[in-house]
Amino acid sequence: MRAVPDAQPAGLRYPARAMSLDDEPPTPIKPLVALRALEALRRNPQDTSQVFILGEAIKGSSPIKLMHRFRRDPLGRERLRERRKLIETLQRAEWLASLPSGTLGRTYHEFMVEQNLSAQGLVDLSVATGLAIPDDGSDRHFIGRQLRDMHDLFHVLSGYGRDELGEVCVLAFSYPHQGTRSFALIATLGAFVLRKRLQTPGVLRAAWQAWRHGRAAAWLPVQPLESLLTQDLVTLRRALRIAPPTRYLAVLDRLNARGKAVPQPPGRLLFNP
């Protein structure tokens, strides 16, 4: 389960807004808050709340740049016009479970059940950390909410699991799509920490490949993900130019061969040969 913190972290407060989020200036960088979040992540890499906190502390102008990218992209403009809420579809567990085996939606559902996760979990984390912003109808709010809710879909689409290396790699994969500074920082530092901790060849190469695969793939945040849930995952990965995470999988195989049981990532067998 994702850990939910008891209190909002010091240094991150959201006053009532007098303007649309779209019109607000870049957020000042908060280095001390960022350092505390990094230290907390070092102690407990599964504490997802620290990823939220770190992201807010160092985001700066990144959300503004992402908003402009959405507005320039034809698919992005379509998503902004539709304003569909991905979370509402991801919460339809019975419908997802009824989809044919091998589809994106069914593989996502199986992944969430196996990991004892829920789509609501990331929403609860953002609220518990004090980082959930009331919906003011802005493009930035919509984009931020969608990016939060599609994180576990990124796991399934990219083929990276929730083991420590899988989390590092999915952030490296996600960075070219979202431009979230904390993703690049965690992925870089995490890869070096895991190289030392796991004592297994290929950790840095796996993270580097994840970033390269993310950069080569179609831009995922603007895809109509709600509609893609019914599609065959092999076909979908091919269409979105998502390559198999071969170096990550090789590290997992080495770890399992050494007796360190690591769960298989979602849809491992559903990559196009």
Side-chain angles (χ1 to χ4, degrees), residues 5-273:
D6 296 327
Q8 180 178 348
L12 291 175
R13 297 291 186 269
Y14 287 96
R17 284 183 161 77
M19 64 177 74
S20 167
L21 187 60
D22 290 347
D23 301 321
E24 289 196 355
T27 304
I29 303 298
K30 300 179 175 66
L32 293 180
V33 175
L35 287 173
R36 286 195 291 268
L38 280 173
E39 174 58 22
L41 274 172
R42 186 190 66 81
R43 294 195 305 268
N44 179 12
Q46 293 296 326
D47 187 357
T48 313
S49 66
Q50 300 303 323
V51 178
F52 282 95
I53 295 167
L54 178 62
E56 287 295 317
I58 65 174
K59 68 181 182 181
S61 61
S62 298
I64 299 173
K65 294 177 180 177
L66 185 63
M67 176 184 68
H68 290 317
R69 185 180 178 186
F70 257 78
R71 290 174 173 177
R72 290 193 304 266
D73 187 275
L75 286 177
R77 290 195 296 271
E78 188 174 338
R79 301 288 83 76
L80 292 173
R81 184 170 58 252
E82 290 176 342
R83 283 294 203 272
R84 295 178 69 180
K85 294 182 179 180
L86 177 61
I87 184 101
E88 293 180 352
T89 305
L90 296 181
Q91 288 175 330
R92 296 174 59 192
E94 291 186 6
W95 174 72
L96 291 169
S98 73
L99 293 175
S101 178
T103 58
L104 171 60
R106 176 71 172 272
T107 307
Y108 166 81
H109 173 74
E110 291 170 351
F111 171 68
M112 299 296 278
V113 170
E114 179 182 319
Q115 296 294 324
N116 195 24
L117 300 174
S118 71
Q120 184 65 29
L122 289 173
V123 179
D124 294 340
L125 273 175
S126 65
V127 171
T129 54
L131 303 179
I133 303 171
D135 188 353
D136 63 351
S138 64
D139 289 348
R140 277 183 60 184
H141 183 277
F142 170 78
I143 294 167
R145 181 187 66 207
Q146 293 293 93
L147 294 182
R148 176 198 66 197
D149 296 339
M150 67 178 62
H151 173 75
D152 291 315
L153 276 178
F154 266 67
H155 273 286
V156 177
L157 285 167
S158 64
Y160 294 106
R162 289 192 71 243
D163 58 282
E164 289 181 316
L165 181 57
E167 291 289 2
V168 162
C169 287
V170 81
L171 293 181
F173 178 93
S174 300
Y175 178 68
H177 297 271
Q178 303 186 19
T180 305
R181 294 172 177 175
S182 59
F183 285 9
L185 183 58
I186 294 171
T188 301
L189 296 179
F192 281 98
V193 169
L194 290 178
R195 181 179 66 166
K196 181 178 180 180
R197 181 184 301 169
L198 297 178
Q199 295 291 305
T200 300
V203 169
L204 294 184
R205 290 192 296 272
W208 176 250
Q209 184 187 61
W211 174 78
R212 291 180 59 210
H213 284 183
R215 189 178 63 166
W219 192 24
L220 298 182
V222 299
Q223 303 300 318
L225 294 174
E226 297 89 347
S227 302
L228 299 182
L229 290 166
T230 60
Q231 293 196 17
D232 175 72
L233 186 52
V234 172
T235 304
L236 187 57
R237 282 168 167 168
R238 186 189 310 123
L240 296 175
R241 305 191 302 277
I242 300 174
T246 53
R247 293 181 174 175
Y248 162 72
L249 296 176
V251 173
L252 293 195
D253 290 343
R254 293 187 193 105
L255 291 172
N256 281 308
R258 287 167 37 191
K260 181 177 175 59
V262 182
Q264 292 301 306
R268 173 168 185 168
L269 301 179
L270 299 177
F271 274 101
N272 186 42

